[in-house]
Amino acid sequence: MGADEQLCGYSWYRSRMKSVGGEGVLREMGRDMERIWQRNLGRDDRCISSHGREAARFPFLDEEVVTFLSSPPLSSIADMALPPGIGGKLLLRLVAVELFEPHMTS
């Protein structure tokens, strides 16, 4: 929860990029983060509770993570020129490769 909203991971950000540009997408991402508490967290809490679980953990909603991810320009976190499934959340994908690729076997 929070990774798509902060790292341009939703597919509609790609189409919004074409119509409103990078600044417009950043504004949309900001609005999505402002609404995440009412929209996504309530739904996810109900879903988790219905399966007998008490609480979920949301590492991307940690205050320091939110602050950090709100500072870089859009071009540092996503590249919508890349194919869908690659360009969004690019920063997260690059960090994962850096951290885990040395430990992966062929």
Side-chain angles (χ1 to χ4, degrees), residues 5 13 16 20 23-40:
E5 293 83 0
Y13 292 142
R16 296 294 291 159
V20 298
E23 290 300 316
V25 169
L26 285 173
R27 283 192 301 275
E28 182 118 3
M29 291 166 61
R31 281 192 297 270
D32 286 344
M33 281 301 293
E34 290 171 4
R35 295 185 295 230
I36 197 169
W37 315 109
Q38 294 90 16
R39 296 171 78 187
N40 303 61

Side-chain angles (χ1 to χ4, degrees), residues 6 59-70:
Q6 296 179 84
F60 285 96
L61 297 180
D62 178 84
E63 185 176 354
E64 290 182 21
V65 174
V66 171
T67 300
F68 174 77
L69 291 176
S70 67

